[in-house]
Structures are given as structure tokens and as C-alpha cells.
């Protein structure tokens, strides 16, 4: 009789072996030390250091470099965006996220909300059935959530706990002081928490552009077949909540010229009016959401974290695939 493998993931009720605990302790101490050093640096210096790290990573990680180059090629149909720009831009996004840990740092200091998007979001919330806010790992997405709260919008985000609970607490240091509430997928009662947020007319954010261990369906995103979570569409249809897609975009995407070189947040509504209780409605809504995300990524591919994810369906994610 085959014995079951021990579960080492504490998110699934497992425990670490002594060797894993030692490794995780070393990683945690190292990360804390690097964080302290990073926040000691002036903002401009930190940005320069992160850019340099992006250049180094591009040079010393050939396999990852090939993945990024391939994603750009299939997504854009050309090589007009270089892989190196993805490494350095994402490194700059890391610096931007670290800046949110600085006391007194305003989310709106280097990101703004497009006026039309503000109206779209406000109108969706005013309907009173909650808003399913679909987002992507595009540009300074952590700053986007903080900015929306700073602008007075009630926002919670669905997130995955870290493999190390101490890192989850670090995430909370980034989000909690700014009023961004995290609903962790692995915690008991999270589905009820999501329903409560929507029932009270608030927005719940979902990042859906990178595959996760949740029920998913295959869609074409930026030139590759990927697994897209179906939860946001399923929840929105069940509750008839408004659905919006909100992502960061380069300043040039602003409908009106503000003179700022900082990125902006663009929010658009995804229609549910023609979708009823039919079983195909879920698939149609996922397709509409993915199509809108594809347009956003194609407009700013160098700032998309998903470029580092190889296309395909790893076995661990395939087990969570929902054939419906």
C-alpha cells in the first residue's frame, strides 16, 4: 500500500522539516535585512539599484530571458519590445512597491486615477450590488489598490498567503496601513467574506492574469494559452455584481494630457446585461474579461509580470482546472 507524501506547505496544514525550517529562516532573515537596506536608500538610489539588478538578472538568467523573449514574440507578433526592458521595468516596479513601505509615502505621488475611470468605478459602486474588480500584475499594481482606497473607494483584494506566514505579515505591512483589506484564499470562510463585501456594496479585487491553484479555464492571453480563474465571473453572475477591469497603464494612455510622466489607472466596465442564467454565460464573461486584459497587456508589455511565466499548464495547476 502506497503511503501518502507528507505535506510540507503550511498553507495546507502541513509542517516544515528541520531542513526546510532552517532554509526558510535563512531566507526570511536575508529578506528582512535587504528590506531594511533598501528603505535606508533614497528613492532615486533605490530605483537605480533595482534597475541594475534587472540588468544583471537579464544577463545571468538565460532560461528566464528566453521565456520573456518568447512571450513578447508571440504576444506582439514582433520583437519591437526587448526582453531587457521587461527585466528593468519590472525591477522598477519592485522599487515602487518598496517605496509604499516608507512612512508618509502617498499612493497618489506617482500614480493617478483617470477621471473617466473614476466616474465608471463610482457608478458601478453606486448600483449597490458590489463590484468584482478584475486586475492584472501590470505596472505598479500594489500602488493601484492603495490609490483607490486613498481616493475614497472601498476596496478589498483576494490574495494567496505566502508559503511562510512571516512573509504574509510583511504583505500586511504593505497593505493594512493603507486601508487595503486582504481576503486570503486559504483561510476558512473566505467565500463568505467575499460575499459579505459585495453584499455591502464594496469592491473585491481579483488578479487573474497569472495561473493559480484555483478552478480555471483555458483562454488565449497575449499570444499563449493560459489558465484564467473562473471565480470572479462565477461570483459576479451569481450576485449580479458589476464587473470592471482596472489596471495600470503608461501616462501616454491617458485620454487627457495631464503633463505627468507617472502611470495612470484605467477602469472600464464589462457588460453583463445580455448574460442570463445559461450555463455558457460564465464562459462568455471570462472571454470578455480576458480580451480586455489582453488589450491592456499589449499596450504596456514591458511592465507585465506575466512575461516571466512560461505558457502551458503545469501539473499542479492542471489538477485545479475546472473542465466546465
Amino acid at each position: 500500500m502506497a503511503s501518502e507524501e507528507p505535506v510540507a506547505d503550511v498553507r495546507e496544514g502541513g509542517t516544515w522539516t528541520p531542513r526546510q525550517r532552517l532554509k526558510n529562516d535563512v531566507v526570511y532573515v536575508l529578506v528582512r535585512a535587504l528590506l531594511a537596506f533598501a528603505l535606508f536608500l533614497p528613492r532615486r538610489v533605490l530605483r537605480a539599484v533595482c534597475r541594475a539588478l534587472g540588468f544583471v538578472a537579464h544577463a545571468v538568467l538565460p532560461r528566464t530571458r528566453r521565456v520573456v523573449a518568447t512571450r513578447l514574440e508571440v504576444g506582439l507578433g514582433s520583437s519591437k519590445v526587448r526582453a531587457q526592458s521587461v527585466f528593468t521595468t519590472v525591477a522598477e516596479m519592485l522599487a515602487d512597491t518598496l517605496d509604499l513601505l516608507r512612512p508618509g509615502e502617498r499612493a497618489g505621488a506617482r500614480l493617478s486615477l483617470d477621471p473617466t475611470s473614476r466616474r465608471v468605478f463610482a457608478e458601478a459602486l453606486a448600483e449597490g450590488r458590489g463590484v468584482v474588480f478584475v486586475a492584472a500584475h501590470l505596472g505598479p499594481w500594489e500602488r493601484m489598490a492603495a490609490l483607490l482606497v486613498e481616493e475614497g473607494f472601498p476596496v478589498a483584494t483576494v490574495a494567496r498567503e505566502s508559503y511562510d506566514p512571516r512573509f504574509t505579515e510583511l504583505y500586511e505591512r504593505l497593505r493594512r496601513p493603507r486601508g487595503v483589506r486582504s481576503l486570503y484564499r486559504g483561510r476558512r470562510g473566505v467565500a463568505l467574506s467575499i460575499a459579505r463585501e459585495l453584499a455591502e456594496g464594496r469592491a473585491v479585487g481579483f488578479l487573474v492574469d497569472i495561473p493559480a491553484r484555483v478552478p480555471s479555464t483555458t483562454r488565449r492571453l497575449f499570444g499563449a494559452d493560459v489558465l484564467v480563474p473562473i471565480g470572479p465571473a462565477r461570483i459576479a453572475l451569481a450576485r449580479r455584481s458589476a464587473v470592471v477591469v482596472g489596471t495600470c497603464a503608461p501616462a501616454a494612455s491617458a485620454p487627457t494630457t495631464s503633463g505627468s510622466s507617472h502611470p495612470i489607472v484605467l477602469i472600464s466596465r464589462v457588460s453583463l446585461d445580455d448574460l442570463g442564467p445559461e450555463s455558457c454565460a460564465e464562459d462568455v464573461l471570462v472571454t470578455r474579461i480576458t480580451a480586455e486584459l489582453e488589450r491592456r497587456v499589449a499596450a504596456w508589455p514591458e511592465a507585465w509580470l506575466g512575461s516571466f511565466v512560461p505558457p502551458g499548464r503545469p501539473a499542479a495547476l492542471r489538477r485545479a482546472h475546472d473542465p466546465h
Side-chain angles (χ1 to χ4, degrees), residues 48-262:
V49 168
C50 286
R51 275 187 63 86
L53 289 174
F55 275 107
V56 171
H58 176 265
V60 304
L61 300 174
R63 181 177 299 178
T64 305
R65 186 171 64 241
R66 287 193 295 271
V67 168
V68 172
T70 299
R71 292 304 303 268
L72 290 172
E73 181 71 29
V74 301
L76 298 173
S78 68
S79 55
K80 63 180 180 180
V81 176
R82 298 174 59 197
Q84 187 180 75
S85 67
V86 177
F87 279 82
T88 54
T89 303
V90 170
E92 289 176 353
M93 296 304 102
L94 171 61
D96 183 88
T97 299
L98 292 174
D99 278 342
L100 290 173
L101 291 170
R102 299 181 190 272
E105 172 75 6
R106 287 183 54 251
R110 280 185 293 281
L111 183 69
S112 61
L113 179 59
D114 166 63
T116 300
S117 298
R118 180 185 288 106
R119 187 184 70 249
V120 168
F121 194 24
E123 289 174 352
L125 284 166
E127 293 176 4
R129 295 190 299 273
V131 174
V132 171
F133 192 109
V134 182
H137 297 83
L138 182 64
W141 70 89
E142 285 284 359
R143 186 177 288 270
M144 177 176 70
L147 173 67
L148 293 174
V149 174
E150 199 171 87
E151 292 274 346
F153 294 110
V155 176
T157 61
V158 177
R160 170 70 164 166
E161 303 92 327
S162 171
Y163 74 95
D164 187 333
R166 293 171 294 186
F167 284 128
T168 302
E169 284 304 310
L170 285 180
Y171 300 159
E172 286 299 305
R173 276 184 53 197
L174 184 69
R175 299 165 183 161
R176 190 189 299 124
R178 298 183 177 277
V180 180
R181 299 183 307 283
S182 295
L183 308 176
Y184 289 105
R185 294 201 313 258
R187 294 186 180 174
R188 183 174 299 176
V190 66
L192 182 60
S193 297
I194 293 172
R196 185 181 300 117
E197 293 288 325
L198 294 173
E200 294 178 1
R202 295 195 282 263
V204 178
F206 299 84
L207 289 159
V208 303
D209 57 316
I210 293 179
R213 292 180 177 86
V214 295
S216 303
T217 187
T218 303
R219 286 294 184 277
R220 198 78 173 166
L221 177 62
F222 202 53
D225 289 334
V226 300
L227 287 175
V228 177
I230 61 177
R234 183 170 291 173
I235 292 168
L237 289 169
R239 303 196 61 84
R240 303 310 296 181
S241 298
V243 178
V244 302
V245 171
T247 64
C248 299
S253 301
T256 57
T257 303
S258 63
S260 172
S261 60
H262 298 309

Side-chain angles (χ1 to χ4, degrees), residues 26-58:
V26 170
V27 170
Y28 177 72
V29 171
L30 179 61
V31 168
R32 288 301 300 264
L34 289 174
L35 272 177
F37 173 71
L39 295 177
F40 174 76
L41 299 175
R43 287 179 174 84
R44 288 186 178 180
V45 176
L46 175 60
R47 183 175 181 272
V49 168
C50 286
R51 275 187 63 86
L53 289 174
F55 275 107
V56 171
H58 176 265

